[in-house]
Amino acid sequence: MVQASHDSVLDHLGRRIAGGELAPGTVLTLADLEAEYGVSRTVVREAVRVLEAKAMLSSKRRVGITVSPMSRWSMLDPELIRWRLSSSARARQIVALTELRLAVEPIAARLAALRASEDQRAEIGRLADELRRLGAERRGDSQEYLAADIAFHDVLLRAGGNLMLTAIQSPIAEVITGRHTAGLTPADPVHQALHNHVEAAAAIVRGDAEAAEHHVRGYVEAILDEVRSVPE
Amino acid sequence: MVQASHDSVLDHLGRRIAGGELAPGTVLTLADLEAEYGVSRTVVREAVRVLEAKAMLSSKRRVGITVSPMSRWSMLDPELIRWRLSSSARARQIVALTELRLAVEPIAARLAALRASEDQRAEIGRLADELRRLGAERRGDSQEYLAADIAFHDVLLRAGGNLMLTAIQSPIAEVITGRHTAGLTPADPVHQALHNHVEAAAAIVRGDAEAAEHHVRGYVEAILDEVRSVPE
DNA sequence: TTGCCATATAGATCACACCATTGGCAAGAA
DNA sequence: TTCTTGCCAATGGTGTGATCTATATGGCAA
């Protein structure tokens, strides 16, 4: 658990940088930040250290604290992804994240088909059934559908047994939720996408790596087409 | 720039956790760490904050600082990847990282074929030529080959224009270097792998996304087979 | 047995002091 | 004028003591 003061300074500063308000090259000083946030040096320093660890800032004696060029940032950092999702770069970040999903999810599905435990296979099958059922009942925009959708992707990524692939679960969940909250999920799910979910689940259950990879790629490609068509 | 004291404490503590010496559930206190490393609270606190940001530690009043379960860690964090590569989990980490490459590199190649700038296409072509030349001269184990190999993957990932995909460049470079340093790269490169590099480059140069993806997948699959055969 | 409360504990924050580094300026040399 | 040298002041880095705050825990009472 982290405290309010540190957390809020870190979060606010992180957002300002991620959102471009503090452009790369901008120089700050500890004294400035102390005064601005009205907190002690300790708090500011610790926040700066964390942002330094994400390669968003770099501090040098006699110079100050400089905002690093975006190309250096640890873009896979979940916190940074969240900040960018809540910034004006949101649309671009969603596309980038979906491209990452297009890379990761099919491979995770392949691994899941090979390595998932019995419990995980059962869980994936169950969740796919639920998605299908809710879809058939035209409840694709319900809370239950959202929960099942998130759980489905969560198990899928975890079942692959690769913690690095699992690591993008939380940003994915956030995007799915965001899409739902924005009212973009239709009550009547797109037939092909739902079909791919169900087929992917079936393939994982029976251990068919090729099919699992193929069907997952199918639905992520559909999502990618969709998010690319959203204007920035 | 970060200072010696902070850096070394962070690095050492990070390694101990990443390497499993400090198992999840282990409870530390600031006072312990202060005494152990012989530095002030400030330094320890900042190191702990950074590890907290990577979800490797969590601190709670009246309890202390607890090592978090591995499933929570930000496994895509470059620093954490480096720590794991230098721990006893090295072999497993290399396999996991190669599975990630299998996901990411083909997609990056596809995007590169679609989006690379003229300069980047030229650079990729040039690097592939150099790899082929050095390979033909049986200099696959030379420094030049290593440098060209790293540069090739670097441009490939960057040319896709997705900063999240680019972000795994440095761990990949580290693995390639590690493989080279360990003397695992033959003077006479495996023909098929080299061929796939050259074909992938040609495909990117001419903007053929399908072929680029296919050839990159080809060589990453070969690498994956290889690293999986290494005993832990 | 259950629930409340006092208390000790450990992190969170603050304020201050001093150190180490170094960018930039000024003086002097070429 | 241009370059070198050396000093100075600014700024982050580290250390320390004090105080605040949340909370795990044990003891007491109902």
Side-chain angles (χ1 to χ4, degrees):
Chain A
M1 181 70 74
V2 180
Q3 285 306 297
S5 208
H6 167 82
D7 255 13
S8 68
V9 171
L10 171 60
D11 195 70
H12 191 255
L13 197 50
R15 267 174 218 281
R16 284 170 70 192
I17 298 170
E21 181 193 334
L22 294 174
T26 306
V27 178
L28 309 164
T29 67
L30 286 177
D32 291 347
L33 294 170
E34 255 180 87
E36 181 171 353
Y37 289 105
V39 294
S40 75
R41 199 165 154 185
T42 314
V43 172
V44 172
R45 281 187 56 80
E46 289 174 13
V48 167
R49 272 282 201 252
V50 170
L51 292 170
E52 256 185 293
K54 300 185 195 299
M56 296 169 71
L57 291 178
S58 78
S59 50
K60 258 181 95 175
R61 285 187 163 127
R62 172 70 201 195
V63 175
I65 298 154
T66 313
V67 179
S68 303
M70 203 185 293
S71 60
R72 292 265 201 81
W73 301 357
S74 299
M75 284 296 181
L76 296 168
D77 182 272
E79 210 163 7
L80 175 50
I81 293 173
R82 218 171 314 123
W83 288 329
R84 289 185 38 93
L85 282 176
S86 69
S87 78
S88 59
R90 178 180 174 80
R92 254 171 300 146
Q93 178 65 19
I94 288 179
V95 172
L97 204 44
T98 309
E99 285 171 359
L100 180 64
R101 287 181 67 179
L102 180 60
V104 167
E105 287 197 55
I107 299 303
R110 158 178 290 272
L111 297 177
L114 299 173
R115 300 180 188 161
S117 68
E118 286 313 310
D119 284 357
Q120 287 170 330
R121 287 178 212 270
E123 179 73 0
I124 287 174
R126 197 185 62 71
L127 288 167
D129 277 350
E130 188 163 343
L131 287 175
R132 181 170 46 192
R133 181 177 60 78
L134 291 167
E137 294 172 5
R138 307 179 53 80
R139 293 175 62 202
D141 56 351
S142 66
Q143 280 299 325
E144 292 97 318
Y145 191 92
L146 172 64
D149 200 7
I150 289 175
F152 180 85
H153 291 92
D154 182 35
V155 184
L156 174 69
L157 288 169
R158 277 194 287 106
N162 181 327
L163 290 175
M164 303 184 75
L165 300 183
T166 307
I168 68 157
Q169 192 275 328
S170 83
I172 290 179
E174 238 162 294
V175 170
I176 296 176
T177 305
R179 192 155 162 275
H180 182 271
T181 309
L184 293 175
T185 39
D188 207 354
V190 178
H191 178 266
Q192 186 60 41
L194 186 52
H195 172 76
N196 273 328
H197 274 76
V198 171
E199 286 299 316
I204 291 170
V205 169
R206 70 174 185 270
D208 183 342
E210 287 301 324
E213 180 175 347
H214 175 261
H215 287 290
V216 169
R217 182 165 291 127
Y219 72 68
V220 182
E221 272 172 355
I223 297 173
L224 183 55
D225 281 342
E226 181 193 312
V227 299
R228 275 187 177 148
S229 70
V230 174
E232 299 197 4
Chain B
M1 179 71 74
V2 180
Q3 286 305 299
S5 211
H6 167 82
D7 254 12
S8 68
V9 171
L10 172 60
D11 195 70
H12 191 256
L13 198 49
R15 268 174 217 283
R16 285 169 70 192
I17 298 170
E21 182 193 332
L22 293 175
T26 306
V27 178
L28 308 165
T29 67
L30 286 177
D32 290 346
L33 293 169
E34 259 179 82
E36 181 171 352
Y37 288 106
V39 294
S40 73
R41 261 205 324 282
T42 316
V43 173
V44 173
R45 282 186 57 83
E46 289 175 14
V48 167
R49 274 282 199 247
V50 171
L51 293 171
E52 252 185 297
K54 299 185 196 301
M56 296 169 71
L57 291 178
S58 78
S59 51
K60 262 179 90 174
R61 286 177 208 261
R62 171 71 202 205
V63 173
I65 298 154
T66 312
V67 179
S68 303
M70 202 184 294
S71 59
R72 291 264 200 81
W73 301 357
S74 298
M75 285 297 182
L76 295 168
D77 182 272
E79 210 164 7
L80 175 50
I81 292 174
R82 217 171 314 123
W83 288 330
R84 287 183 43 91
L85 282 175
S86 69
S87 77
S88 60
R90 178 179 173 81
R92 254 170 301 148
Q93 178 65 19
I94 288 179
V95 172
L97 204 44
T98 308
E99 286 170 359
L100 181 63
R101 288 182 65 180
L102 181 59
V104 168
E105 288 198 54
I107 298 304
R110 158 179 291 271
L111 296 177
L114 299 173
R115 301 180 188 159
S117 68
E118 286 313 310
D119 284 357
Q120 286 170 331
R121 286 178 212 270
E123 179 73 0
I124 287 174
R126 198 186 62 69
L127 288 167
D129 277 350
E130 188 164 341
L131 287 175
R132 182 170 46 191
R133 182 178 59 79
L134 290 167
E137 293 173 7
R138 305 180 53 80
R139 293 175 62 203
D141 57 352
S142 65
Q143 279 299 324
E144 293 96 317
Y145 190 92
L146 173 64
D149 200 8
I150 289 174
F152 179 85
H153 291 90
D154 182 34
V155 185
L156 174 69
L157 289 169
R158 275 194 288 107
N162 182 326
L163 291 175
M164 302 184 77
L165 300 183
T166 307
I168 69 157
Q169 192 277 328
S170 84
I172 289 179
E174 237 161 295
V175 170
I176 296 176
T177 305
R179 194 157 160 273
H180 182 270
T181 310
L184 292 176
T185 41
D188 208 355
V190 177
H191 178 265
Q192 185 61 41
L194 186 51
H195 173 76
N196 273 328
H197 275 76
V198 171
E199 286 299 315
I204 291 170
V205 168
R206 69 173 186 273
D208 182 342
E210 286 300 325
E213 180 175 346
H214 175 261
H215 288 290
V216 168
R217 182 165 290 128
Y219 72 68
V220 182
E221 273 173 353
I223 296 173
L224 184 54
D225 281 343
E226 183 193 312
V227 300
R228 274 186 177 149
S229 70
V230 174
E232 299 196 5

